[in-house]
Amino acid sequence: MVSPLLVAGIAVAAAEDVAGPPDADDSAVSIDAIAEGDAGTGDGPSGAGDVATIGEEDPEAVTVADLFDPAATGRVVLLWVLTPSLSAVASYLVFQYLPIV
C-alpha cells in the first residue's frame, strides 16, 4: 500500500514544478510558421484533405456478402458443438480403460 505521506509529497513536488500556463511570447516557433511550412505538402493538417483515410470503407461499396459468410458461420457452429463433444468422449474413454485411479 502506498503511504498517504508519499502521495502528498509527490503532489507537492508536482505542484511546485508547474508554474502555470506557458506564455505565448516564449514559444520558439509560432503556429503561423508551422502552418506555412505545411501548406499543400500533405504532411500536416492543412494538407490532410489530399490523403485518403486509412481503414475506412465506402458505405456504398459494402455488400451483404461482405458482412455475412455462411461457410464461416457453419465452421464456427460445427466446432462449437464438436470440440466439447469430442473432449467428453475422449475423457470417458481415458478414465474407463486406463487404470489411473
Side-chain angles (χ1 to χ4, degrees):
M1 182 167 169
V2 179
S3 168
L5 293 175
L6 177 64
V7 172
I10 292 172
V12 169
E16 291 172 355
D17 288 340
V18 176
D23 293 331
D25 298 334
D26 292 341
S27 63
V29 178
S30 70
I31 299 298
D32 296 331
I34 294 172
E36 288 173 7
D38 287 342
T41 61
D43 293 334
S46 61
D50 303 341
V51 181
T53 54
I54 298 173
E56 294 184 14
E57 293 186 24
D58 186 20
E60 290 84 26
V62 178
T63 63
V64 175
D66 294 335
L67 299 175
F68 179 72
D69 183 14
T73 305
R75 286 191 303 269
V76 168
V77 170
L78 178 70
L79 290 175
W80 188 15
V81 172
L82 193 62
T83 303
S85 300
L86 289 176
S87 66
V89 169
S91 64
Y92 174 78
L93 293 174
V94 165
F95 287 111
Q96 181 68 30
Y97 295 111
L98 291 178
I100 294 175
V101 179

